[in-house]
Structures are given as C-alpha cells and as structure tokens.
Amino acid sequence: MPKLSPADVPEVKLDSAAAPIEACLSRDQRRGLFEKPGTTVYAIVALTSKSYTGHAEGEDKDPQVKVRITECEVARSDEDAAALADAKRAMWRGRQIDGTLDEVGEGPQRPDAALLDVTVSKPTEDELKAHKRRQEQRRRDEYVR
C-alpha cells in the first residue's frame, strides 16, 4: 500500500457489486424502489475496501479507494426505519460537532438509544439458533414420514 501524506484524502468510489443489497431487500421494497422514484429505504451496511489507485510521486492524480458493500440489512418496518433514521441523525450531529458539517439536525443524543429500543423486540442470537434447530427437526420429521 502506498503511504499517504497527512494532506492526502482519498476519493471513495462505490464498487458496483450489489449482491448484499439485493439479497436483503424484500420483493415489495424492490418494486417500490423501481415503481416510485425517490423512494428511500434505510439500511445498515458494512463497507470493505477492495482496491485502490495510488499516486506516483510528482503526478497530479488524487488517490482513490474503491469500497464494496459486503454486508447489508434493510429496515422492513416503519419502526426499524425510524430507529435507523434517528441513529443517522445522531451520528450526523456528531460529525457537525467534529467540524465536518455546518448545521445541526434533530434526533436523539445517542444513536444506540433508538436502536436499543427497536432491537428489544427482535430475536436474540439464541432465539435464532433455537428456531433453526426447530426447522431442522421439522425437516427430519417430514423426511421420516
């Protein structure tokens, strides 16, 4: 990897591979995005750097890194979307305080507060494992019949 000087700030480009996004959108969400331009869905994504374009000494080309969405979960209810929007606004306020934005938005002071409220009603890891065990047992029972 090339070393960047403290003054260099790479441009970030989004890679075109969108499989994680497509996989997490429901059929209705996909149709809504297509049929109603301007539709917004809220999602939690993980970005992973996949490639970079370095810059040679003395060349007048800005450094660039390409990122890919490697994990994605999309809000499937109004409650989930509101929690993600609240978290986004809270993080946005943090960037404003850090001096990267000019205006302050609305929302909770802690982004995790809204998410904790919503995640209380979601299954835990143990509940998911138990569900998968029940599904597997049902498959075995049906196979035996």
Side-chain angles (χ1 to χ4, degrees), residues 39-87:
T39 295
T40 299
V41 294
Y42 282 89
I44 296 172
V45 299
L47 300 174
T48 304
S49 60
K50 291 298 181 178
S51 64
Y52 70 94
T53 302
H55 60 292
E57 192 70 34
E59 188 175 322
D60 191 24
K61 185 172 183 180
D62 293 331
Q64 187 181 87
V65 63
K66 191 173 279 191
V67 298
R68 182 178 298 160
I69 295 174
T70 53
E71 296 176 48
C72 181
E73 271 309 317
V74 174
R76 292 186 181 241
S77 70
D78 291 342
E79 180 185 59
D80 289 352
L84 293 179
D86 283 347

Side-chain angles (χ1 to χ4, degrees), residues 91-108:
M91 290 185 281
W92 184 79
R93 284 193 309 278
R95 287 195 303 136
Q96 201 283 325
I97 289 169
D98 291 342
T100 60
L101 295 175
D102 295 333
E103 300 174 16
V104 177
E106 300 174 12

Side-chain angles (χ1 to χ4, degrees), residues 17-39:
I21 297 171
E22 188 173 351
C24 69
L25 288 166
S26 70
R27 182 178 189 272
D28 289 340
Q29 286 172 321
R30 291 182 200 191
R31 291 184 59 86
L33 289 167
F34 180 83
E35 293 171 347
K36 300 173 195 143
T39 295

Side-chain angles (χ1 to χ4, degrees), residues 91-143:
M91 290 185 281
W92 184 79
R93 284 193 309 278
R95 287 195 303 136
Q96 201 283 325
I97 289 169
D98 291 342
T100 60
L101 295 175
D102 295 333
E103 300 174 16
V104 177
E106 300 174 12
Q109 293 300 313
R110 292 181 51 225
D112 61 334
L115 295 176
L116 288 175
D117 290 345
V118 131
T119 58
V120 165
S121 66
K122 302 296 181 205
T124 64
E125 286 294 324
D126 289 338
E127 290 169 330
L128 177 61
K129 289 176 185 173
H131 171 74
K132 288 181 176 181
R133 283 193 299 272
R134 287 191 301 272
Q135 278 185 320
E136 185 58 34
Q137 187 60 49
R138 272 188 239 128
R139 280 190 207 108
R140 282 192 219 121
D141 291 348
E142 289 174 7
Y143 182 73

